[in-house]
Each structure stands twice: as C-alpha cells, then as structure tokens.
Amino acid sequence: MSTPAERVRDTTRRLLTLLEEGESTTPEAITLRAELAEATAEAGQLEDAYYQADELLKDARREHGEEHEATVRARAAKDAVEELARRG
C-alpha cells in the first residue's frame, strides 16, 4: 500500500500526463483531480486539499451539471476532504 505522499506524487503525474492531451474537466480528469484532493488531505495538506476539492466541484458543476457522474464524484471528494479535516 502506498503512503499518502506517494499517492499525491503518482496521481499528480497521471493527471499531468492526461492534461497534456485534454481538458481538466473531462470525467477522467475529474476522477484524477478527486483522487489528488483526497490524497493531499490524507497527506495532511488540508488547506490545499480543500481548495482543490472546492475548485473541482465548481468545475464539474459548470461543465457537467449537478447530476452527472463526474459531479457526483467531485462532491464525494469534497465531502471526503471535509471529513478528513474534521478528524485531523
């Protein structure tokens, strides 16, 4: 199992590779951004994680609407970050 810091590094690499070819609001990019926000929170960087999750949810809503699967995933990431912050 990887550490939160390793997850942040690996997810960042995957996201950067994806963004070289596409937009930051595709469902795949949103999934990676959600993973990154969660890993960032798990690594103890709560302020950064909250910012990432908040921006992600705004982008997903704007691009896909409230009920789209990508928006649901973004909302789950924001909830996860907030839960980690409460525990922390």
Side-chain angles (χ1 to χ4, degrees):
M1 180 117 190
S2 59
T3 68
E6 291 169 334
R7 283 185 55 216
V8 168
R9 185 190 67 234
D10 294 343
T11 305
T12 299
R13 280 191 198 141
R14 291 172 38 218
L15 181 58
L16 289 173
T17 299
L18 178 68
L19 293 178
E20 286 177 0
E21 301 169 6
E23 296 290 321
S24 65
T25 56
T26 64
E28 184 178 7
I30 287 175
T31 296
L32 283 173
R33 289 173 64 193
E35 289 176 22
L36 180 59
E38 292 166 353
T40 300
E42 290 169 4
Q45 299 169 359
L46 296 172
E47 189 173 316
D48 289 343
Y50 186 80
Y51 178 79
Q52 291 173 22
D54 189 53
E55 291 300 309
L56 171 60
L57 184 55
K58 289 177 195 175
D59 289 348
R61 284 177 170 154
R62 183 176 48 253
E63 185 71 23
H64 301 288
E66 279 298 319
E67 303 304 319
H68 192 276
E69 169 184 319
T71 305
V72 171
R73 178 63 179 102
R75 192 175 305 110
K78 187 172 179 184
D79 291 345
V81 168
E82 289 172 349
E83 178 61 29
L84 286 165
R86 279 192 290 275
R87 287 188 215 161

